[in-house]
């Protein structure tokens, strides 16, 4: 979001700019656009791209919605975030850098593959990562030149700053509440699902979590002070979510069906509406429908095998008795 409530959506090779009510204002070509950060101080949108052969950070002016410049990198820029004072940080490889003009200044190192990063005033940086081979995750905190870490037995996917004392961590199977001492002080279990995005409705005081379910319909979970109060069905694989304080809407990007779901303000469990972005994406059926449409075929094949086995067994027995 920018200061006027415009919404930026990264979709394949395009940045879509939406009005606060969800209509498409403009599209900007950015090859391999993935992570984004908006700097409220300079009114600049930063976009990282990791698609080969280009590893870049693109700066886009919010004034005329055009590209200012592009910085080429030698490695994959995973996560980027703009702090409240106008400083921009990017995770490249296993290092977090401070973006100083066209230069990346090393700040601190971490383990694993980064998934999200947030800045808590006056300068505390949190970063989530995972180590797939060891099946563990991490939360790193950098403050005053020192790095602390919390090891998790699950993969953290998203971070949300709640106040000056704690953060929320969306993981595979859990929503965790972690304080600034890196202690887990609360959790909500979400069996068979993972949380890929978190946002906070500052008006209604509700937390919205984008939930990718392994066994059924994907949805947005609504929470009031870590207590689930409702579910809102959205598109396939909701991968990120954001609250727009200008319109009061919650925007959800649905990765596999190329849509953005828009949820009305203070909505705990009622319906929403979607807009479809004109992007080319793989056609993937809903996870709940991948098997059941073919159930009659499976049943027919299984029944055929059983009947054939019975007939063959009868034929063999008959011939044996005849001998």
């Amino acid at each position: 979001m920018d200061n006027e409530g415009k919404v930026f959506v990264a979709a394949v090779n395009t940045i879509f700019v939406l009005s606060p009510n969800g209509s498409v204002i403009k599209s900007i070509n950015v090859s391999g656009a993935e992570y984004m950060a908006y700097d409220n101080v300079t009114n600049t949108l930063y976009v990282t791209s990791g698609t080969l052969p280009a590893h870049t950070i693109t700066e886009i002016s919010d004034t005329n919605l055009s590209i200012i410049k592009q910085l080429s990198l030698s490695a994959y820029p995973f996560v980027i975030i703009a702090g409240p004072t106008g400083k921009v940080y990017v995770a490249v490889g296993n290092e977090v850098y401070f973006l100083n003009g066209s230069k990346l200044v090393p700040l601190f190192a971490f383990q694993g593959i980064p998934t999200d990063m947030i800045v808590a005033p006056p300068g505390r940086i949190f970063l989530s990562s995972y180590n797939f081979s060891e099946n563990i995750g991490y939360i790193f905190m950098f403050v005053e030149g020192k790095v602390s870490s919390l090891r998790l037995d699950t993969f953290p996917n998203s971070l949300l700053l709640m106040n000056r004392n704690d953060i929320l961590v969306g993981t595979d199977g859990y929503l965790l509440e972690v304080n600034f001492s890196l202690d887990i002080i609360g959790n909500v279990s979400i069996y068979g699902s993972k949380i890929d995005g978190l946002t906070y409705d500052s008006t209604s005081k509700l937390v919205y979590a984008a939930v990718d379910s392994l066994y059924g319909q994907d949805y947005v979970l609504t929470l009031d002070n870590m207590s689930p109060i409702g579910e809102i069905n959205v598109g396939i694989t909701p991968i990120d979510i954001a609250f727009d304080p200008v319109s009061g809407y919650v925007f959800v990007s649905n990765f596999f069906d190329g849509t953005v779901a828009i949820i009305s303000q203070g909505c705990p469990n009622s319906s929403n509406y979607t807009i479809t972005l004109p992007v080319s994406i793989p056609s993937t059926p809903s996870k709940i429908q991948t098997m059941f449409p073919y159930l009659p075929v499976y049943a027919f094949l299984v029944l055929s095998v059983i009947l054939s086995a019975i007939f063959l067994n009868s034929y063999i027995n008959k011939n044996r008795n005849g001998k």
Side-chain angles (χ1 to χ4, degrees):
M1 311 296 176
D2 68 1
N3 297 321
E4 300 173 347
K6 291 197 294 293
V7 182
F8 299 98
V9 183
V12 189
N13 296 317
T14 307
I15 298 295
F16 288 95
V17 186
L18 311 182
S19 68
N21 64 8
S23 60
V24 178
I25 300 173
K26 187 175 182 179
S27 60
I28 306 169
N29 293 329
V30 179
S31 178
E34 290 187 87
Y35 294 94
M36 297 182 295
Y38 184 78
D39 184 359
N40 290 290
V41 177
T42 62
N43 297 325
T44 303
L45 179 71
Y46 293 85
V47 183
T48 65
S49 301
T51 304
L52 291 173
H55 299 311
T56 60
I57 298 176
T58 303
E59 297 182 21
I60 298 175
S61 169
D62 191 27
T63 304
N64 53 24
L65 298 178
S66 61
I67 295 176
I68 302 171
K69 62 180 180 181
Q70 198 169 68
L71 174 64
S72 296
L73 306 177
S74 59
Y76 198 119
F78 281 96
V79 183
I80 191 165
I81 187 69
T85 59
K87 292 185 177 181
V88 177
Y89 306 95
V90 57
V92 181
N94 296 114
E95 191 93 20
V96 171
Y97 296 84
F98 161 56
L99 183 59
N100 185 10
S102 296
K103 296 182 179 180
L104 292 177
V105 181
L107 202 58
F108 69 93
F110 60 89
Q111 296 173 271
I113 298 174
T115 56
D116 203 0
M117 185 165 49
I118 56 175
V119 178
R124 196 181 305 259
I125 300 175
F126 291 91
L127 180 139
S128 57
S129 69
Y130 68 90
N131 185 319
F132 186 79
S133 61
E134 296 183 9
N135 200 33
I136 57 176
Y138 296 97
I139 303 297
F140 292 93
M141 181 179 67
F142 175 82
V143 58
E144 297 179 350
K146 297 180 181 180
V147 180
S148 304
S149 65
L150 169 65
R151 176 171 167 163
L152 302 173
D153 293 326
T154 183
F155 294 157
N157 307 305
S158 55
L159 302 174
L160 176 66
L161 177 66
M162 287 302 297
N163 49 52
R164 299 182 67 89
N165 300 308
D166 58 18
I167 64 172
L168 295 184
V169 183
T171 75
D172 289 8
Y174 298 93
L175 175 64
L176 305 177
E177 185 177 8
V178 177
N179 63 22
F180 284 9
S181 297
L182 295 184
D183 300 315
I184 299 176
I185 58 176
N187 74 86
V188 176
S189 176
I190 306 174
Y191 177 76
S193 303
K194 64 175 184 173
I195 298 175
D196 280 330
L198 291 166
T199 195
Y200 179 63
D201 181 343
S202 55
T203 303
S204 302
K205 312 299 182 184
L206 298 176
V207 171
Y208 292 87
V211 179
D212 180 6
S213 176
L214 300 179
Y215 303 110
Q217 171 73 46
D218 297 333
Y219 61 94
V220 167
L221 178 66
T222 313
L223 303 103
D224 182 4
N225 194 28
M226 290 294 286
S227 297
I229 60 174
E231 298 178 4
I232 305 170
N233 292 339
V234 290
I236 306 173
T237 313
I239 200 169
D240 207 357
I241 187 168
F243 170 70
D244 186 351
V246 173
S247 65
Y249 293 152
V250 173
F251 289 78
V252 187
S253 58
N254 301 308
F255 180 74
F256 269 115
D257 61 6
T259 64
V260 173
I262 304 174
I263 302 170
S264 59
Q265 186 174 18
C267 173
N269 54 18
S270 59
S271 62
N272 58 63
Y273 70 91
T274 63
I275 58 173
T276 301
L277 301 178
V279 296
S280 177
I281 60 173
S283 178
T284 303
S286 173
K287 284 169 284 187
I288 199 171
Q289 296 176 344
T290 53
M291 177 178 176
F292 292 107
Y294 304 100
L295 190 57
V297 178
Y298 295 150
F300 175 79
L301 291 175
V302 172
L303 183 60
S304 298
V305 170
I306 294 173
L307 291 175
S308 298
I310 294 173
F311 176 82
L312 181 60
N313 184 64
S314 177
Y315 177 80
I316 292 173
N317 290 334
K318 182 178 180 180
N319 287 342
R320 283 178 179 176
N321 293 334
K323 288 181 181 180

